[in-house]
Amino acid sequence: MNVQPDAVEVDSAVQLALHLDRVRRHRSELRESVAAVDLALEAPIARGGMWRERVRAALAELAHDFDDHVALTESPGGIYDRARHSAPRLSGRVERLLGEHRDLRDAIHGYLAVLEHGGTMADLPIFREELTVLVGRLVRHRQAGGDLVYEAYDVDLGGQG
């Protein structure tokens, strides 16, 4: 079979468009998960076990969605892999985002383990503050990822969804 170079480019462009559409949909899910954690953190700590369970449930969903985010963006042929090859000038930013993935994943799963395994939270206000800082880090990571995609592919993933 003789494949024309133009056909390969079109196929690659179609694959990229499909992948970016998947990233866009998942980005919306991740945004909702981050917002759910933020909302759970706003509830009164005085509710004790109820507060803890609400935060645990929201954080469990976030952990799942963040793991999916990492798998999607770091996959061979995924947006980070493609960005490194199509726009080598962005390689440093890709590496920074990859490092953030490791740090954020460890933090999310660490806090979740405390909530799921009855870890000591002697000072709930401090625990809530740490999680609030984590939410801010996730928002900034999402922004940096959107900026990278725009610079690499001239595609706006959108800030609303």
Side-chain angles (χ1 to χ4, degrees):
M1 178 176 173
N2 188 5
V3 177
Q4 299 297 323
D6 289 343
V8 171
E9 288 177 25
V10 168
D11 185 46
S12 181
V14 168
Q15 288 177 350
L16 176 60
L18 291 171
H19 186 73
L20 287 172
D21 187 53
R22 197 169 152 217
V23 167
R24 186 178 285 114
R25 284 191 315 270
H26 178 72
R27 181 178 167 84
S28 178
E29 291 172 16
L30 186 58
R31 180 180 165 272
E32 290 171 10
S33 294
V34 170
V37 170
D38 193 39
L39 187 61
L41 292 171
E42 290 178 5
I45 289 177
R47 297 176 102 179
M50 186 187 266
W51 180 87
R52 185 181 176 127
E53 178 52 29
R54 186 172 177 196
V55 171
R56 188 212 56 78
L59 201 54
E61 183 65 25
L62 175 61
H64 177 268
D65 286 348
F66 194 77
D67 288 347
D68 286 351
H69 164 75
V70 169
L72 181 61
T73 58
E74 292 186 9
S75 65
I79 58 173
Y80 291 171
D81 189 37
R82 288 173 186 253
R84 269 195 227 129
H85 291 94
S86 65
R89 73 186 187 289
L90 299 175
S91 291
R93 289 175 53 195
V94 169
E95 292 305 315
R96 215 171 6 260
L97 288 167
L98 292 171
E100 287 178 14
H101 279 178
R102 289 184 294 276
D103 294 343
L104 290 167
R105 181 186 249 170
D106 288 349
I108 292 166
H109 286 278
Y111 288 120
L112 184 57
V114 168
L115 290 167
E116 287 181 339
H117 303 295
T120 304
M121 293 188 304
D123 197 337
L124 287 179
I126 290 174
F127 187 81
R128 178 167 59 185
E129 180 60 28
E130 290 173 2
L131 282 173
T132 301
V133 168
L134 176 62
V135 166
R137 289 176 57 204
L138 287 160
V139 168
R140 286 186 295 282
H141 175 78
R142 189 172 175 274
Q143 292 166 345
D147 289 346
L148 177 88
V149 168
Y150 186 80
E151 288 186 44
Y153 310 110
D154 199 30
V155 171
D156 183 0
L157 292 175
Q160 299 300 315

